[in-house]
Amino acid sequence: MAIKKIELIAAPPSPHMVGDGFRVHNFIPSAYHLDMQRMTPFIMLDYNSKFYFTPTDKPRGVSVHPHRGFETVTIAYHGKVAHHDSAGNSGVIGEGDVQWMTAASGVLHKEYHEKEFSKAGGYFQMVQLWVNLPAKDKMSKPKYQGITNAEIGKYILHNDSGIVEVIAGAYKEVKGAASTFTPVHMQNAKLKKGGEAVFNFPANYNTFLVVIEGNVSINDEEVLENHLVLFENEGEEFTIAALENSIVLVLSGEPINEPIAAHGPFVMNTRQEILQAFDDVKLGKFGFLEE
Ligand code: MN
C-alpha cells in the first residue's frame, strides 16, 4: 500500500448562521478549492463547531425548505436536533446519532433544535453533509434513515487505541449502518491519547477528514481541532495518531463523474432540471409541510 499524502490542511472558514440554529463553517463547496467537482460525491459540508446556545422556549433552527437531487446527512456530536419532512418522516438525533435523509425527487423539511435541549440550552456540535446522487437515482423516492449510535457498528482498535464507528462503508470487517447509492465511507475515529488508526481507501476516491475534537497527527503532520485535511488522489493508506483524546470524522467516496448543476437547495445535472425543480415546488410536487 502506498501512503496517501496530504494535499491540503484547511483551517475552519469564518462561521455564518444557517437559520438561527446552526453556526457553521462552510468547507464545501465555498472554501479553498473544495468545490463540488473536487469533492464529489460530497457536495456540501457545513460544520457547526462546538458552540454554546443559551436557553430559549422557541427552538432555533431552519424553517421549511426544499431539497432535490441528493442526500443530507447530519451527524450529532453535542446537542439534539429534530427533523420533519413532507414524506412523513421525522426524528430526533442526539449525541452519537446520525440522520440520513435521501431527498432524491424532492422533499420539504425543517430542522430545529429539539425542544428540551432548547429549553435547557447547551453545547451544540454537528456536521451536515450533502452526498450527491448519480443521475439515475436523482428522481427516486425520498427515504429516511434515522441511525442511533447503538445501531452503528464499532471496530475495536488494538492496544486500547479506541474505536472506529462505521456510519457507512466498511472499516475492516465492520460494515456501515447506512445504505448508500454509491460507494461512500463515513466513519468516526474515536481515539484515546496515544491511540492510532490506519485507514485504506482506493486511490481514486475523494478522501478527507475533519478533526472534531482533540489534536492529531496525520502521517506525522500535526493537525489541530476543527481543521479539515484533504488527501491526494494517489496512494491508499494513512494513519491518524491521537496527540490527546480525539474524534476524527473520516470520509471517502467514489467520485460521481457527471455534470453538476447546483442552485441553492437543488443539485441536478442540467440547468433545465434546476428550473424544473423551482416549478415543481410551486406546483406542490414536493408535498406539504407545516411551518
Ligand atoms: Mn435542509
Side-chain angles (χ1 to χ4, degrees):
M1 290 281 173
I3 297 293
K4 203 167 188 48
K5 288 189 199 145
I6 292 174
E7 177 172 319
L8 170 78
I9 299 178
S14 17
H16 68 273
M17 294 303 295
V18 175
D20 62 358
F22 303 90
R23 181 185 174 272
V24 304
H25 309 276
N26 179 258
F27 279 108
I28 306 171
S30 64
Y32 306 92
H33 61 279
L34 307 176
D35 55 54
M36 292 184 180
Q37 292 291 1
R38 172 67 186 88
M39 304 303 283
T40 173
F42 308 102
I43 49 175
M44 205 283 300
L45 170 61
D46 267 347
Y47 173 45
N48 190 134
S49 59
K50 198 172 172 186
F51 184 79
Y52 181 81
F53 282 97
T54 54
T56 175
D57 287 330
K58 191 177 174 295
R60 299 179 177 94
V62 191
S63 62
V64 176
H65 59 279
H67 289 297
R68 174 180 277 180
F70 56 94
E71 306 184 278
T72 69
V73 181
T74 306
I75 307 168
Y77 295 96
H78 288 284
K80 281 187 176 177
V81 69
H83 157 97
H84 293 85
D85 70 40
S86 55
N89 296 305
S90 65
V92 173
I93 59 161
E95 197 169 328
D97 302 336
V98 176
Q99 176 204 284
W100 197 298
M101 187 197 67
T102 307
S105 62
V107 296
L108 304 174
H109 81 158
K110 54 184 180 182
E111 301 155 280
Y112 280 98
H113 294 191
E114 185 263 344
K115 218 171 164 183
E116 295 308 314
F117 171 81
S118 299
K119 270 188 189 158
Y123 284 102
F124 193 84
Q125 186 177 21
M126 306 230 165
V127 165
Q128 186 170 92
L129 281 152
W130 291 2
V131 179
N132 207 2
L133 290 172
K136 68 174 179 53
D137 296 316
K138 280 187 179 291
M139 292 302 283
S140 64
K141 215 174 122 217
K143 182 173 137 182
Y144 181 82
Q145 302 174 73
I147 305 165
T148 64
N149 191 263
E151 294 166 330
I152 296 173
K154 288 149 188 101
Y155 182 88
I156 314 284
L157 296 160
H158 64 88
N159 295 337
D160 199 29
S161 279
I163 60 167
V164 176
E165 293 179 346
V166 188
I167 300 165
Y171 187 84
K172 303 193 192 284
E173 68 273 17
V174 178
K175 299 257 188 303
S179 74
T180 65
F181 286 78
T182 59
V184 169
H185 295 279
M186 191 176 294
Q187 305 170 357
N188 274 315
K190 297 191 166 172
L191 302 175
K192 295 181 188 169
K193 182 179 179 178
E196 274 192 13
V198 177
F199 288 84
N200 269 293
F201 300 113
N204 71 309
Y205 280 28
N206 290 327
T207 302
F208 65 102
L209 57 81
V210 181
V211 181
I212 302 294
E213 192 178 305
N215 292 311
V216 298
S217 157
I218 314 283
N219 297 342
D220 293 324
E221 190 155 352
E222 189 173 349
V223 182
L224 305 176
E225 194 166 70
N226 298 334
H227 283 55
L228 179 149
V229 174
L230 174 66
F231 291 92
E232 292 180 357
N233 290 90
E234 277 176 46
E236 296 84 20
E237 184 174 298
F238 62 91
T239 302
I240 305 176
L243 304 174
E244 52 192 86
N245 290 343
S246 299
I247 300 175
V248 181
L249 173 63
V250 177
L251 296 141
S252 183
E254 184 179 72
I256 299 171
N257 292 317
E258 295 175 348
I260 296 176
H263 191 102
F266 309 127
V267 182
M268 303 299 289
N269 303 108
T270 67
R271 170 104 187 116
Q272 183 52 43
E273 289 167 336
I274 294 291
L275 297 175
Q276 187 67 51
F278 279 101
D279 283 348
D280 287 350
V281 168
K282 277 189 218 139
L283 291 168
K285 291 191 179 170
F286 284 55
F288 174 77
L289 185 65
E290 223 170 291
E291 284 289 340

